[in-house]
């Protein structure tokens, strides 16, 4: 009889020639457990997904109750379904007044795709702008916005009329003109290795977009829902988007994404043609129930309040000559080493010692630290001790 690992390699599509092949059988809070009972600290939260930890009881309860009530009833947008309505209302209450209308989809990439269509339809323009070293997903449209040719070249031709600007480059804002439908930008860049906007950059971008009648789209798929020490990343910079993209951490571990705009902008999907955007499973009742439970947990337990201090504790504890820099805000951090080879050796050692971390698509010499927001100070101390042990082992 084949093992689960052998079956995985035989029947599950692979995305790299060397998958980690870790086999987990349960997860709770910060921890994941393998078949032998060994526990691992998850310092990446499933790549920014498990913001409230694995299997948070509030989320599990909401999933169970909704699954017993009803699941899929109809494609998105036709029936009034309380889980969708309640989650959308809750989002509107914590967002700026103009971000009051939510379209639920299944993932971050789908949120990007929907927003691309929405921006073109609302403005009547075709040109889109994204940032170099950006990451917005891997579907054809989202891939077209990715600012790294290495991941795109095998799939061309992609969408036309897309230009790229340097993140934090004020001169590049001149590329935004009256043909630009929208600028897509991560409020804090993720796969670029956690790049925070410089003072005044996002305000200048906002002003240029307003001047040109261009929509500003903030991708908060990684940095939203408390990860940076604010509920939403844009709150750090006193700048608001026309369209906001959410996914990953908003579902408490369930698959869900969303793009949020004003009613006026979103209304263009209702006509010329009708059904301007369609999704069968978007806004799935179970995922929306999980999303509402996640948001309520973050707010009611005031998880965001401690995030900045927890991030600072990581920075304080991770001190070694081999660590070149620690970038980021809150619990969205990048620890930079001299090379991918050094970083990979340290990461491998950490995994062997029960700490899960990884690197970034566009910044392979930096280690990702993005644990559940519920991580405790003691757990931070324990994980940092293991990281430093492996830094010393690799770098001396």
């Amino acid at each position: 009889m084949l093992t689960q690992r052998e079956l995985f390699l035989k029947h599950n599509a692979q995305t790299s020639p060397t998958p980690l092949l870790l086999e987990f059988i349960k997860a709770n809070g910060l921890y994941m457990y393998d078949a032998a009972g060994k526990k691992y600290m998850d310092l990446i939260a499933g790549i920014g997904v498990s913001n409230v930890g694995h299997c948070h009881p509030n989320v599990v309860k909401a999933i169970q109750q909704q699954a017993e009530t009803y699941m899929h009833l109809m494609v998105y947008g036709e029936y009034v379904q309380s889980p969708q309505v309640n989650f959308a209302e809750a989002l509107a209450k914590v967002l700026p007044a103009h971000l009051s209308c939510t379209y639920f989809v299944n993932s971050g990439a789908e949120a990007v795709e929907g927003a691309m269509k929405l921006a073109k339809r609302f403005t009547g323009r075709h040109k889109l702008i994204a940032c170099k070293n950006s990451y917005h997903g891997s579907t054809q449209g989202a891939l077209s916005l990715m600012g790294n040719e290495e991941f795109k070249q095998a799939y061309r031709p992609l969408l036309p009329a897309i230009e790229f600007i340097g993140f934090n480059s004020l001169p590049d804002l001149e590329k935004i003109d009256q043909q630009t439908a929208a600028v897509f930008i991560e409020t804090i860049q993720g796969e670029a290795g956690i790049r925070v906007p410089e003072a005044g950059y996002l305000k200048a971008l906002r002003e240029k977009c307003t001047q040109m009648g261009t929509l500003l789209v903030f991708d908060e798929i990684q940095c939203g829902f408390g990860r940076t020490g604010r509920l939403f990343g844009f709150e750090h910079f006193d700048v608001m988007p026309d369209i906001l993209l959410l996914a990953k951490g908003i579902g408490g571990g369930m698959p869900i994404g969303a793009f949020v705009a004003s009613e006026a902008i979103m209304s263009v999907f209702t006509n010329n043609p009708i059904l301007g955007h369609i999704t069968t499973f978007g806004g799935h009742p179970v995922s929306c129930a999980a999303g509402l439970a996640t948001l309520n947990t973050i707010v009611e337990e005031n998880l965001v309040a401690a995030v900045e201090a927890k991030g600072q504790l990581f920075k304080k504890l991770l001190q070694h000559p081999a660590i070149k820099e620690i970038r980021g805000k809150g619990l969205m951090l990048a620890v930079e080493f001299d090379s991918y080879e050094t970083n990979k050796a340290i990461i491998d050692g950490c995994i062997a010692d029960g700490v899960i971390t990884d690197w970034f698509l566009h910044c392979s010499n930096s280690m990702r630290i993005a644990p559940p927001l519920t991580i405790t100070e003691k757990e931070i101390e324990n994980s940092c001790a293991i990281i430093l042990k492996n830094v010393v082992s690799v770098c001396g």
Side-chain angles (χ1 to χ4, degrees):
M1 182 180 294
L2 296 179
T3 65
Q4 286 289 294
R5 179 176 297 189
E6 290 166 335
L7 289 168
F8 169 81
L9 292 170
K10 183 177 178 65
H11 296 299
N12 290 79
Q14 303 297 302
T15 59
S16 84
T18 56
L20 287 173
L21 292 176
L22 297 169
E23 183 181 344
F24 295 113
I25 60 170
K26 66 177 181 178
N28 184 267
L30 178 68
Y31 300 97
M32 300 185 293
Y33 300 83
D34 68 15
K38 180 178 177 179
K39 72 177 183 179
Y40 296 75
M41 287 183 275
D42 184 4
L43 286 198
I44 56 176
I47 312 296
V49 170
S50 302
N51 283 15
V52 296
H54 294 282
C55 292
H56 192 288
N58 295 347
V59 177
V60 172
K61 181 179 179 181
I63 290 169
Q64 291 172 335
Q65 289 180 342
Q66 185 56 47
E68 292 174 350
T69 306
Y70 62 80
M71 290 187 274
H72 177 74
L73 300 179
M74 180 58 163
V75 298
Y76 181 79
E78 293 298 321
Y79 294 168
V80 178
Q81 301 183 59
S82 291
Q84 295 175 355
V85 173
N86 294 342
F87 191 22
E89 180 190 29
L91 285 171
K93 287 180 178 178
V94 297
L95 284 167
H98 73 286
L99 295 175
S100 61
C101 191
T102 297
Y103 195 121
F104 290 116
V105 290
N106 302 285
S107 68
E110 288 185 54
V112 172
E113 297 281 353
M116 292 171 77
K117 290 175 63 180
L118 183 62
K120 290 181 177 181
R121 176 70 180 82
F122 182 77
T123 63
R125 303 173 181 179
H126 65 280
K127 177 179 166 183
L128 298 172
I129 288 178
C131 285
K132 297 169 185 176
N133 286 329
S134 60
Y135 181 80
H136 298 287
S138 290
T139 51
Q140 290 275 299
L143 187 65
S144 301
L145 294 177
M146 184 189 287
N148 186 327
E149 186 62 27
E150 177 184 354
F151 291 93
K152 298 164 60 171
Q153 52 86 22
Y155 303 104
R156 291 193 177 277
L158 295 168
L159 291 182
I162 292 178
E163 295 186 18
F164 290 90
I165 59 177
F167 192 78
N168 281 324
S169 172
L170 293 174
D172 278 5
L173 299 185
E174 293 306 310
K175 293 184 179 182
I176 303 168
D177 58 27
Q178 292 179 337
Q179 277 67 55
T180 308
V183 175
F184 283 72
I185 187 169
E186 298 159 89
T187 315
I188 295 173
Q189 281 195 311
E191 295 310 312
I194 315 300
R195 308 292 172 171
V196 179
E198 294 173 359
Y201 174 70
L202 290 183
K203 285 193 173 184
L205 173 60
R206 172 72 274 179
E207 290 171 3
K208 185 66 173 180
C209 287
T210 301
Q211 177 188 350
M212 292 297 164
T214 295
L215 297 182
L216 178 57
V217 183
F218 280 170
D219 181 338
E220 298 227 353
I221 291 165
Q222 280 201 53
C223 69
F225 261 49
R227 177 138 304 278
T228 66
R230 298 285 181 90
L231 192 54
F232 301 101
F234 64 80
E235 294 176 329
H236 290 286
F237 308 105
D238 195 27
V239 176
M240 292 185 288
D242 299 298
I243 302 174
L244 179 68
L245 309 181
L246 301 170
K248 289 188 178 292
I250 76 170
M254 291 293 287
I256 186 170
F259 54 105
V260 188
S262 66
E263 292 180 66
I265 292 175
M266 202 71 82
S267 69
V268 299
F269 276 159
T270 66
N271 60 85
N272 297 319
I274 64 167
L275 302 175
H277 193 64
I278 302 171
T279 172
T280 297
F281 291 111
H284 192 281
V286 177
S287 291
C288 283
L292 179 59
T294 299
L295 177 57
N296 286 342
T297 296
I298 290 172
V299 172
E300 291 169 6
E301 297 185 6
N302 200 19
L303 294 181
V304 175
V307 167
E308 177 60 27
K310 290 176 180 179
Q312 290 299 327
L313 183 56
F314 271 109
K315 291 179 179 179
K316 176 183 175 181
L317 295 174
L318 292 177
Q319 298 289 325
H320 187 277
I323 296 174
K324 305 300 181 184
E325 181 183 18
I326 302 179
R327 296 182 298 274
K329 279 188 175 293
L331 290 173
M332 187 177 184
L333 301 172
V335 181
E336 183 173 314
F337 298 99
D338 63 351
S339 67
Y340 165 74
E341 289 74 20
T342 297
N343 191 32
K344 179 64 164 59
I346 294 167
I347 288 170
D348 288 346
C350 287
I351 293 174
D353 287 338
V355 169
I356 303 291
T357 181
D358 73 342
W359 58 94
F360 299 90
L361 286 182
H362 311 327
C363 188
S364 62
N365 68 328
S366 294
M367 174 190 292
R368 186 194 311 268
I369 294 181
L373 310 185
T374 53
I375 191 171
T376 67
E377 289 187 5
K378 184 62 176 176
E379 289 167 338
I380 293 172
E381 291 169 359
N382 291 343
S383 62
C384 287
I386 291 172
I387 293 171
L388 285 174
K389 170 197 167 188
N390 285 283
V391 172
V392 171
S393 176
V394 172
C395 304

